[in-house]
Amino acid sequence: MEMKNHSSSTSGFILLGLSSNPELQKPLFAIFLLMYLITTMGNMLIILAIHSDSRLHTPMYFFLSNLSFMDICFTTVIVPKMLVNLLSETKDISYVGCLVQMYFFMAFGNTDSYLLASMAIDRLVAICNPFHYDVVMSSQRCLLMLLGSCTISHLHSLFRVLLMSHLSFCGSHVIKHFFCDTQPVLKLSCSDTSSSQIVVMTETLAVIVTPFLCILFSYLRIIVTVLRIPSAAGKWKTFSTCGSHLTVVALFYGSVIYVYFRPLSMYSVVKDRVATVMYTVVTPMLNPFIYSLRNKDMKRGLKKIRDKIHLWKELNDAIS
């Protein structure tokens, strides 16, 4: 099958998946189905807990509920298609379908990074400028930060997909990955991708590094402020409010930097699959646990949901 250009008669690509071993397809299907269900249910619980408890209607939890929603969208772009392919013999994806998946994957993934930066700014203001917190982190400003995050991310995705759509594909149509990501698709192109690589790397630096530097700057300021607190207990209490956020940032950016901030010549199929699974599946699955296990406010919100469910069951039993 040959793809001569972006308007070729080729039906699309074949996604090689996580493994070509037939004996591993069903076990991998079971594992990733379970992970997807945990991700979806866990993040939905976070959203419901925040919206059902008025005490959680604060900027930090506003961004957290949107992060949970983006995590659901992010994994839904990738995992259902991967699950279908694990049980299918063809494992194909159309050319348009590949570009659409690439678009939404980048859009939701980049929005995640900007929301993490917004949460870092929230912690910065709360710790370094607490007396002006309500003014600086007003609901209007938080909404603007959310809209800005989504707009920048979607424009970035649109630009990247338009760039990819002009490449020619005339060799193998087998993508050595479990979804349509930029690097493995670029590897298949028979066009001169050197200029595309430069544009992709430059634009990725601008879009991904900006929120990362924002997070870095925020935490440097926070550390300086915390070190000025005289008591060790005060230092720990103040910095502990950032623990969950820092954990998620480390998991997300650690794997993202490993995958994307290297030249195409250093691309490794196996290593990149593992790293990509970390930020596309594992991190969104762990987020609800990270943000709720040591968070008293979230535990209270989740308990409120549980109590409502019990009350609803009791009412149903009484009626029946």
Side-chain angles (χ1 to χ4, degrees):
M1 193 178 291
E2 182 179 339
M3 181 171 283
K4 294 181 180 178
N5 54 47
H6 59 282
S7 61
S8 166
S9 60
T10 298
S11 59
F13 299 103
I14 292 174
L15 293 166
L16 194 60
L18 288 168
S19 173
S20 56
N21 187 342
E23 294 179 1
L24 292 176
Q25 303 303 300
K26 288 184 179 179
L28 284 172
F29 175 86
I31 291 166
F32 280 94
L33 176 62
L34 180 62
M35 291 173 77
Y36 179 64
L37 292 174
I38 292 170
T39 300
T40 307
M41 287 163 43
N43 283 290
M44 278 300 298
L45 281 173
I46 292 289
I47 295 168
L48 289 171
I50 291 169
H51 285 273
S52 65
D53 192 340
S54 59
R55 288 171 291 187
L56 296 178
H57 294 174
T58 63
M60 183 66 175
Y61 292 107
F62 168 76
F63 290 124
L64 177 56
S65 65
N66 281 285
L67 181 69
S68 293
F69 176 71
M70 290 300 161
D71 279 344
I72 293 171
C73 296
F74 189 45
T75 52
T76 301
V77 169
I78 298 166
V79 178
K81 178 62 179 173
M82 180 178 69
L83 292 174
V84 170
N85 284 351
L86 282 168
L87 297 182
S88 171
E89 291 184 5
T90 56
K91 305 182 187 300
D92 60 336
I93 184 168
S94 68
Y95 178 74
V96 173
C98 185
L99 291 180
V100 169
Q101 187 183 57
M102 191 183 293
Y103 174 87
F104 285 107
F105 161 72
M106 288 187 288
F108 294 132
N110 287 326
T111 304
D112 257 13
S113 66
Y114 277 95
L115 286 173
L116 288 171
S118 300
M119 293 167 82
I121 293 169
D122 174 82
R123 291 299 83 206
L124 170 67
V125 177
I127 293 169
C128 302
N129 198 7
F131 297 113
H132 296 94
Y133 180 78
D134 291 336
V135 176
V136 177
M137 299 302 294
S138 64
S139 55
Q140 293 90 344
R141 193 160 292 171
C142 290
L143 185 60
L144 282 174
M145 290 168 75
L146 173 63
L147 291 174
S149 300
C150 294
T151 303
I152 292 169
S153 300
H154 281 272
L155 287 174
H156 162 75
S157 300
L158 182 62
F159 174 76
R160 181 75 67 83
V161 167
L162 287 173
L163 186 70
M164 297 295 290
S165 68
H166 286 84
L167 295 177
S168 298
F169 299 89
C170 49
S172 171
H173 62 285
V174 177
I175 299 174
K176 296 179 180 179
H177 216 319
F178 56 91
F179 72 102
C180 289
D181 200 3
T182 309
Q183 298 285 49
V185 174
L186 273 175
K187 291 280 280 187
L188 298 181
S189 177
C190 56
S191 305
D192 179 11
T193 61
S194 56
S195 58
S196 296
Q197 286 181 59
I198 293 168
V199 172
V200 165
M201 187 67 77
T202 306
E203 198 244 355
T204 300
L205 280 167
V207 174
I208 296 179
V209 172
T210 300
F212 180 70
L213 289 177
C214 180
I215 293 167
L216 201 61
F217 172 77
S218 298
Y219 275 106
L220 286 173
R221 285 284 308 276
I222 287 169
I223 289 167
V224 170
T225 303
V226 169
L227 289 174
R228 290 173 182 167
I229 299 171
S231 67
K235 289 176 183 177
W236 172 250
K237 185 179 179 181
T238 304
F239 200 70
S240 64
T241 61
C242 307
S244 298
H245 182 253
L246 271 174
T247 304
V248 173
V249 167
L251 284 170
F252 183 82
Y253 274 102
S255 49
V256 166
I257 289 169
Y258 176 82
V259 172
Y260 294 105
F261 291 93
R262 292 176 301 155
L264 197 61
S265 57
M266 293 178 64
Y267 176 74
S268 168
V269 175
V270 177
K271 289 180 181 178
D272 281 32
R273 279 182 198 162
V274 173
T276 307
V277 165
M278 278 299 298
Y279 76 88
T280 58
V281 183
V282 177
T283 302
M285 181 186 70
L286 293 178
N287 280 359
F289 298 100
I290 293 168
Y291 280 109
S292 61
L293 287 177
R294 296 182 62 187
N295 189 317
K296 291 179 181 178
D297 294 332
M298 281 305 307
K299 284 181 179 178
R300 186 179 62 234
L302 291 169
K303 184 177 181 297
K304 197 170 181 179
I305 290 177
R306 188 186 64 189
D307 292 342
K308 283 182 179 179
I309 292 170
H310 285 166
L311 180 63
W312 181 74
K313 284 183 178 178
E314 287 173 5
L315 287 170
N316 271 356
D317 290 341
I319 293 169
S320 58

